[in-house]
Amino acid sequence: MIKLIASDIDGTLVSDGEHRLDPEYYDVILKLRGKGIQFAAASGRQWASIEAVFEPVKEKVFYLSDNGAYVGCHGRNLFLNPIERETALELIRAIRRIPGLEVLVGGPDVVYADTKNQEFLDLLVRGYRFQVKQVEEVTGIEDHIIKVSAYRTHNIQEAVEGLIGQFGDRMKMTISGDWWMDAMAPGVCKGQAVRVLQDNLDIKPEETMVFGDQMNDLEMFDQAYYSFAVANAREEVKKAARFQADSNVNRGVLKVLKQLL
């Protein structure tokens, strides 16, 4: 019997950067909860962005945000995994030495930005619905740092290959889609966040179903027998998954959840 479902958001439930979810998902999530099945949204997004997507059922969903650095639910942070501060600051400075990259620093409750790029800020606020705090200099913030992100409008992986080589042994670094590179504390990933829920809710991998489309979803697949890649997923992700769902635009995850009900 399935007891836990965890799904990525961007590219899996919605198109990248979107915040409007098919309303039928809300009804299905409530029905799943009525059968004792927990639902978790696992994303590189900030928790506030996840909450905006799931607003009508926000009290019924677990948030595995910032690629697992934050595990919580509505109004409550359950587990937090900060990055060692000096390492985070070193990475921020290294990102700034690469032309064309924007840097974003994630705290437990807000993301910090010191960019003057209004298009990037609009994407964060109007697209992802992040809680953004603009500061003079992100390296001067006194908050916990749970994630450092680099953003580019295309082909982020090519731009950050050197950074991954430089910092990959001190941080967990992952590529999300074509736009984002995220860096967290060592060992932090969506799979680790799913395992936290499993351990605390006494749920086994064979009682877990997960959905994803990108490389930062692969560790979730290791935590669930029922691992689904959506049809629009990267080829590496499809090969790693046991099962395949229809694409995000064809409501692939929703179709599987309705079959489960």
Side-chain angles (χ1 to χ4, degrees), residues 37-50:
I37 302 172
Q38 304 293 335
F39 186 90
S43 177
R45 295 182 182 219
Q46 178 199 36
W47 71 261
S49 178
I50 294 177

Side-chain angles (χ1 to χ4, degrees), residues 72-216:
C73 52
H74 174 59
R76 200 170 164 203
N77 167 22
L78 302 176
F79 299 94
L80 197 67
N81 295 283
I83 304 171
E84 194 279 321
R85 186 173 186 81
E86 286 307 314
T87 303
L89 298 181
E90 185 182 347
L91 174 59
I92 292 168
R93 296 183 185 108
I95 291 172
R96 285 196 164 136
R97 289 195 288 269
I98 300 175
L101 294 187
E102 294 285 353
V103 65
L104 190 67
V105 176
D109 296 312
V110 299
V111 294
Y112 296 91
D114 56 15
T115 182
K116 301 299 188 290
N117 183 339
Q118 192 59 49
E119 184 177 348
F120 179 54
L121 291 171
D122 287 344
L123 172 68
L124 299 177
V125 176
R126 298 179 184 176
Y128 287 107
R129 300 294 178 94
F130 284 178
Q131 296 288 335
V132 180
K133 184 173 183 178
Q134 288 184 262
V135 294
E136 285 298 317
E137 172 57 61
V138 292
T139 57
I141 65 172
E142 297 181 358
D143 204 353
H144 287 299
I145 297 175
I146 63 172
K147 188 177 73 171
V148 176
S149 300
Y151 169 85
R152 193 165 84 159
T153 55
H154 65 284
N155 202 2
I156 185 69
Q157 186 161 358
E158 179 183 65
V160 300
E161 285 180 354
L163 293 177
I164 293 173
Q166 182 180 352
F167 292 91
D169 60 342
R170 290 181 283 165
M171 309 176 80
K172 172 63 178 178
M173 308 185 76
T174 188
I175 301 297
S176 180
D178 200 38
W179 301 347
W180 294 97
M181 179 208 73
D182 294 329
M184 293 74 61
V188 171
C189 62
K190 293 182 183 182
Q192 183 253 2
V194 169
R195 187 164 62 247
V196 166
L197 284 186
Q198 290 171 327
D199 290 345
N200 283 274
L201 299 174
D202 194 24
I203 295 173
K204 301 179 180 67
E206 55 266 31
E207 299 170 324
T208 305
M209 178 181 288
V210 299
F211 298 88
D213 74 309
Q214 288 291 336
M215 303 299 287
N216 63 340

